Amino acid sequence: MLQIESLKVFHGLIEAVHGIDIKISKGQCVCLLGPNGAGKTSTLSSITGTARATGSVRLDGNDIMALSIEERCKRGIAISPEGRRIFSNLSIQDNMIMGGAIRRDKTRLAQEIEEWISHFPVLGERRNQPAGTLSGGEQQMLAIVRALLSKPRILLLDEPSLGLAPQITARVFEIIRDLKKQEMTILLVEQNVAAAMEVSDYVYVLNNGAISSHGDVGKFGDGSDLMDELMGVHR
Ligand code: ATP
């Protein structure tokens, strides 16, 4: 579904990602692991169109590199960004409506908002309150729901467990497992290696802007070597 080839990502004069290849098939959950500053967010930004990049990113065989952010969203790319980035001053309801802003089927959108509220009642109970009043975990749920309300074909999740308590993290990964059951295609960026490996089919490890290893999740066993690699431990 998504094919990335020779991707380089730039922030001004800095080349943050140095020509990587990533492939994601329909219904797969692919995980991108790596230490701080490895280039994970930069990679996601090049897919959504918010960072300057060269190389190719193809969605269903069509190169999307020349498309605007909005056009990529219309083609089915959605992101729950690092740090949630919900609209804190807007109500919870308006955040959800914003998620579906590109859609024309507003009646269906309204129904889907109610369906999501039945999954996460807090979003309904407090729908008219500013989204910034939600807890970190609730904001993460809202960020994922907002992304899903655009009806994506592929969902990019940037560190959804960052800063969350273990119980809330478990809930976030439960949601990812549910989405997988519904055959959502997911590219997951995580630092929580164990939890990420549990939900992923395929793993890429990014180090200093380059892929240092990749393979089916089974290739990495219990993930302990992977964790050592990410923490720079040499045995
Ligand atoms: P983290 O887990 O800390 O978010 P990451 O793997 O997502 O890290 P990126 O955020 O993609 O890494 O950063 C990759 C490199 O690009 C880093 O050296 C970072 O300092 C640099 N970088 C990222 N964004 C910018 C920017 N807007 N301007 C300049 N340099 C940037």
Side-chain angles (χ1 to χ4, degrees):
M1 177 178 276
L2 193 80
Q3 198 158 11
I4 294 173
E5 278 173 2
S6 309
L7 180 77
K8 291 183 179 178
V9 187
F10 303 88
H11 300 292
L13 294 176
I14 298 165
E15 184 181 301
V17 174
H18 313 302
I20 61 169
D21 297 342
I22 291 178
K23 236 161 74 173
I24 308 171
S25 303
K26 189 173 182 321
Q28 243 189 349
C29 179
V30 170
C31 181
L32 186 56
L33 300 173
N36 286 331
K40 305 180 299 296
T41 299
S42 302
T43 301
L44 296 189
S45 302
S46 71
I47 301 171
T48 55
T50 51
R52 189 168 70 83
T54 62
S56 80
V57 178
R58 278 180 286 156
L59 184 66
D60 297 322
N62 302 310
D63 201 322
I64 60 167
M65 288 294 263
L67 300 182
S68 65
I69 298 168
E70 185 187 356
E71 192 53 45
R72 292 181 202 212
C73 185
K74 284 183 180 160
R75 299 268 178 115
I77 293 171
I79 186 165
S80 165
E82 184 177 6
R84 347 275 183 228
R85 304 270 181 102
I86 53 151
F87 305 109
S88 306
N89 297 326
L90 292 186
S91 70
I92 292 160
Q93 170 97 3
D94 285 346
N95 267 269
M96 291 192 279
I97 291 171
M98 289 295 282
I102 56 155
R103 290 173 57 176
R104 295 199 175 162
D105 53 342
K106 299 296 182 197
T107 312
R108 181 69 199 123
L109 172 64
Q111 285 166 356
E112 280 173 30
I113 288 176
E114 296 312 315
E115 283 163 24
W116 280 113
I117 283 172
S118 68
H119 279 85
F120 305 113
V122 68
L123 300 182
E125 285 155 17
R126 294 174 53 189
R127 66 168 78 204
N128 295 318
Q129 293 181 21
T133 63
L134 292 171
S135 71
E138 290 160 351
Q139 289 187 21
Q140 185 59 62
M141 309 297 171
L142 178 60
I144 295 175
V145 167
R146 184 183 59 180
L148 290 168
L149 283 166
S150 70
K151 278 265 174 229
R153 308 197 52 234
I154 178 162
L155 177 66
L156 314 179
L157 294 172
D158 197 352
E159 307 218 16
S161 75
L162 192 70
L164 300 183
Q167 248 183 338
I168 313 293
T169 297
R171 181 78 181 104
V172 168
F173 278 94
E174 221 174 273
I175 297 168
I176 297 174
R177 259 189 293 276
D178 283 348
L179 291 171
K180 262 193 85 173
K181 277 188 207 146
Q182 295 158 34
E183 302 202 340
M184 175 59 72
T185 308
I186 299 169
L187 177 55
L188 171 66
V189 162
E190 258 300 335
Q191 293 207 15
N192 185 337
V193 176
M197 284 180 66
E198 259 181 51
V199 295
S200 300
D201 303 298
Y202 201 92
V203 175
Y204 288 90
V205 183
L206 195 58
N207 261 309
N208 294 318
I211 302 287
S212 55
S213 54
H214 63 101
D216 288 327
V217 71
K219 168 180 162 176
F220 297 96
D222 66 359
S224 50
D225 288 348
L226 202 48
M227 280 187 239
D228 287 349
E229 184 183 337
L230 294 178
M231 286 159 60
V233 176
H234 301 286
R235 293 194 225 215

